[in-house]
């Protein structure tokens, strides 16, 4: 995990009721990279899933992680928030070894997406898939 917490307000998510959880806290990226290096060097692990709720809530730590992790040649999978996902993030992630990005689409109907306060729309979710594909990642 690079970070913990999510400031969003999806109506079905238990985390939104916990103040501690709603604050995004980012770990020292050098420390995360050092953990990855330990996994590679000591256990031969080459693929990892980042288990942050959404690894792209904050741009700078994600981009820093991507640039520092690239030399390790690992493969990653992570959750992202679709409405924040963009070409800059996607390019950095793909180049760093991310092969799959996931998001909670939840519904194909904008009315339902509005009711559950997902802060996304069908168009946003579609754009997420297209952006991932454009950069060679599965979604
Ligand atoms: S974006 Fe994800 S983690 Fe954040 S409130 Fe919604 S469901 Fe919960």
């Amino acid at each position: 995990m690079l970070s913990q917490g999510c400031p969003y307000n999806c109506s079905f998510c238990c985390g939104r009721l916990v103040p501690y959880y709603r604050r995004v806290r980012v770990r020292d990226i050098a420390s995360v990279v050092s953990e990855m290096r330990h996994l590679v060097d000591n256990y031969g692990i080459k693929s990892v899933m980042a288990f942050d709720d959404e690894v792209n809530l904050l741009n700078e730590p994600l981009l820093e992680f991507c640039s520092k992790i690239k030399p390790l040649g690992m493969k990653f999978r992570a959750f992202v928030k679709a409405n924040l996902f963009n070409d800059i993030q996607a390019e950095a992630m793909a180049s760093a070894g991310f092969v799959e990005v996931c998001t909670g689409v939840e519904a194909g109907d904008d009315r339902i997406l509005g009711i559950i306060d997902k802060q996304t729309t069908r168009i946003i979710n579609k754009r997420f898939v297209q952006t991932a594909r454009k950069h060679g990642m599965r979604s």
Side-chain angles (χ1 to χ4, degrees):
M1 294 182 81
L2 284 67
S3 66
Q4 196 172 32
C6 172
Y8 282 89
N9 205 29
C10 304
S11 61
F12 55 86
C13 183
C14 58
R16 73 201 161 94
L17 302 175
V18 182
Y20 170 76
Y21 177 83
R22 292 179 60 84
R23 264 191 317 116
V24 182
R25 285 141 289 141
V26 182
R27 292 185 53 206
D28 174 45
I29 296 301
S31 162
V32 182
V33 173
S34 148
E35 282 180 1
M36 297 299 108
R37 184 174 295 284
H38 179 79
L39 292 177
V40 172
D41 292 347
N42 293 285
Y43 302 104
I45 289 174
K46 299 289 277 179
S47 303
V48 167
M49 173 157 186
F51 243 89
D52 307 42
D53 286 314
E54 296 94 7
V55 81
N56 68 331
L57 287 173
L58 300 174
N59 211 38
E60 288 312 313
L62 173 62
L63 297 182
E64 183 186 344
F65 176 76
C66 289
S67 70
K68 288 188 173 162
I69 204 72
K70 194 173 171 178
L72 291 186
M74 299 179 79
K75 296 209 181 314
F76 296 96
R77 177 176 186 260
F79 295 115
V80 298
K81 190 81 179 89
N83 54 313
L84 302 177
F85 193 59
N86 58 38
D87 274 315
I88 293 171
Q89 292 180 349
E91 186 178 346
M93 292 173 79
S95 157
F98 283 81
V99 293
E100 185 169 280
V101 283
C102 319
T103 198
V105 169
E106 322 296 357
D109 182 317
D110 285 346
R111 187 179 65 87
I112 300 296
L113 288 169
I115 289 171
I116 64 174
D117 202 6
K118 189 71 192 175
Q119 301 291 312
T120 56
T121 60
R122 286 179 55 193
I123 297 290
I124 287 172
N125 286 326
K126 190 171 178 180
R127 197 181 60 214
F128 154 74
V129 173
Q130 290 169 335
T131 304
R133 265 192 205 150
K134 182 172 145 191
H135 293 275
M137 294 183 284
R138 292 191 300 269
S139 58

